[in-house]
Amino acid sequence: MRTHNSGKSSLGALVMAPIHFLMGILDAPLRWLQRATGIGGMAAFFLMPNMLIFGIFVLLPFFINFAYSMTGGTALFLPDRTFVGAGQYARLFDCRSYLDPGSCAEDTFWTAVKNTAWFVVLQVTLMILVSLVTALILNRDLAARSFWRAVFFFPVLLSPVVVGLIWKWILQRQGLLNFGLYGLGFDPHVWLNDRNWAFAATIGVSIWAHMGFYTLILLAGLQAIPKDLYEAAEMDGTRPARAFWRITLPLLMPNLLVVVVLVLIRAVQIFDEVYVLTGGGPGTSTLYLTQYIYETGFAAQLRNPGLAAAASILMGAVLVVLTLLQLGLGRSEKKGGRK
């Protein structure tokens, strides 16, 4: 036993030796930097790698994208493009009636905006409701509770392309759903060629694919609520529904706000599984804003990177505004609760 322990300690010392040597080399420069810049300078020094990565992969692409939105033509490289100022934005907003996409110069853009708006309203509402109900159920004392939690979280681990292919196999004309309906005596239906069913399918598939993640966030919030509050409410004869509205929902609000923001951002940016599942069809019934940006900038025969960049800037601005509004509402509710 002693020989075994001494062998492990010697192996640990051998592994740690290079680390101690490296730390010894860095110790003197770091001490000098701390004396020269103080604690604030050291904080900036350790933040610099993250800020550098953020600047290269977030800020720089944003400014390049904004520069593209001020140019026109089909050339891909920025120096070869023509400066048009706000012409691309004016083209996007050139409409007689914004409620009628057919009256717009870029009717496909406004069709995508309309589809995305409906998708966001329905998907975000249903996603939050389904995730909340699922979290409440999984928070109860169920048999094999860990198993059911894993089952609901499993789709989150799948690639969006895999999700789209699975449901395309289920919903296509000779797919699993029609096979089951035929076995029950019903006529098969071409689900993905029906505008209404295809739109509903994109909502249902996105909820199935991502609800596990949001359920996990809400479940963590539910488990953080002290059990004493429910016991006191039960002793006072409070009904379960009233306990939910008076105890569970207010204390779950911070987690719920995070879920709303994340679900909203994800819904506006929906692309992968829908592109694989329907390709934006039939017609333009499931054409969403991100797919419009992709096809305009990269997939169309006459590419227009400037128009695609302008549309992406507008989408980002809308996301920022909506997120700030939600955070502002959350803070005002928190202040109102304190009062």
Side-chain angles (χ1 to χ4, degrees):
M1 182 66 69
R2 289 182 177 177
T3 305
H4 180 69
N5 290 337
S6 61
K8 288 179 66 177
S9 60
S10 61
L11 179 62
L14 184 63
V15 172
M16 293 299 295
I19 299 177
H20 287 307
F21 177 73
L22 180 62
M23 295 303 296
I25 294 176
L26 295 176
D27 183 66
L30 290 177
R31 286 182 180 275
W32 175 84
L33 182 64
Q34 183 176 358
R35 287 195 299 269
T37 62
I39 298 298
M42 288 297 293
F45 174 77
F46 285 112
L47 284 174
M48 192 178 300
N50 290 332
M51 297 304 297
L52 190 62
I53 294 172
F54 179 80
I56 293 174
F57 294 104
V58 177
L59 286 181
L60 183 60
F62 171 78
F63 288 118
I64 292 176
N65 193 48
F66 183 74
Y68 265 97
S69 71
M70 308 294 284
T71 61
T74 59
L76 181 61
F77 296 104
L78 192 58
D80 301 330
R81 299 180 57 79
T82 305
F83 179 77
V84 295
Q88 302 288 14
Y89 297 95
R91 180 176 175 181
L92 290 176
F93 285 101
D94 184 11
C95 287
R96 289 194 300 272
S97 172
Y98 294 113
L99 299 178
D100 179 18
S103 67
C104 302
E106 279 298 317
D107 57 332
T108 309
F109 169 75
W110 286 101
T111 300
V113 169
K114 178 183 176 182
N115 292 342
T116 304
W118 277 111
F119 178 86
V120 168
V121 170
L122 296 174
Q123 195 258 13
V124 170
T125 303
L126 292 174
M127 179 75 83
I128 293 171
L129 290 176
V130 172
S131 300
L132 181 58
V133 171
T134 307
L136 289 170
I137 294 173
L138 293 178
N139 194 45
R140 301 174 68 87
D141 293 328
L142 301 174
R145 183 168 59 178
S146 299
F147 168 77
W148 291 113
R149 290 177 180 177
V151 167
F152 280 103
F153 188 75
F154 176 73
V156 179
L157 304 177
L158 298 177
S159 164
V161 175
V162 173
V163 170
L165 290 174
I166 289 173
W167 282 97
K168 190 171 186 178
W169 175 63
I170 293 173
L171 296 173
Q172 63 187 356
R173 182 177 179 82
Q174 298 183 356
L176 188 62
L177 180 57
N178 277 335
F179 179 78
L181 291 175
Y182 184 77
L184 294 173
F186 295 97
D187 294 329
H189 186 75
V190 188
W191 304 99
L192 299 180
N193 284 356
D194 185 298
R195 298 177 66 90
N196 295 326
W197 279 113
F199 182 78
T202 61
I203 296 175
V205 169
S206 66
I207 292 174
W208 178 84
H210 304 290
M211 63 165 284
F213 176 68
Y214 307 116
T215 299
L216 195 64
I217 296 176
L218 295 176
L219 186 60
L222 289 172
Q223 292 179 341
I225 299 175
K227 301 296 182 184
D228 300 345
L229 297 176
Y230 294 107
E231 294 173 359
E234 187 177 358
M235 291 176 63
D236 290 340
T238 305
R239 296 190 305 272
R242 185 173 178 83
F244 172 77
W245 289 106
R246 295 294 184 179
I247 299 175
T248 305
L249 198 58
L251 294 178
L252 192 62
M253 195 56 67
N255 296 69
L256 199 57
L257 180 62
V258 171
V259 168
V260 170
V261 172
L262 293 178
V263 172
L264 181 64
I265 293 173
R266 177 73 191 184
V268 174
Q269 295 178 334
I270 187 71
F271 173 69
D272 311 69
E273 52 260 45
V274 173
Y275 190 71
V276 174
L277 182 65
T278 66
T284 57
S285 59
T286 60
L287 176 68
Y288 300 124
L289 196 50
T290 308
Q291 183 177 340
Y292 167 81
I293 293 170
Y294 163 72
E295 291 184 347
T296 302
F298 300 99
Q301 289 186 345
L302 293 176
R303 296 191 306 264
N304 193 335
L307 194 64
S312 67
I313 292 291
L314 293 175
M315 184 179 74
V318 170
L319 278 175
V320 170
V321 171
L322 290 176
T323 303
L324 291 177
L325 285 175
Q326 290 176 350
L327 293 177
L329 289 174
R331 289 173 184 170
S332 63
E333 289 180 2
K334 187 181 295 185
K335 291 179 180 178
R338 288 175 181 175
K339 291 179 180 178

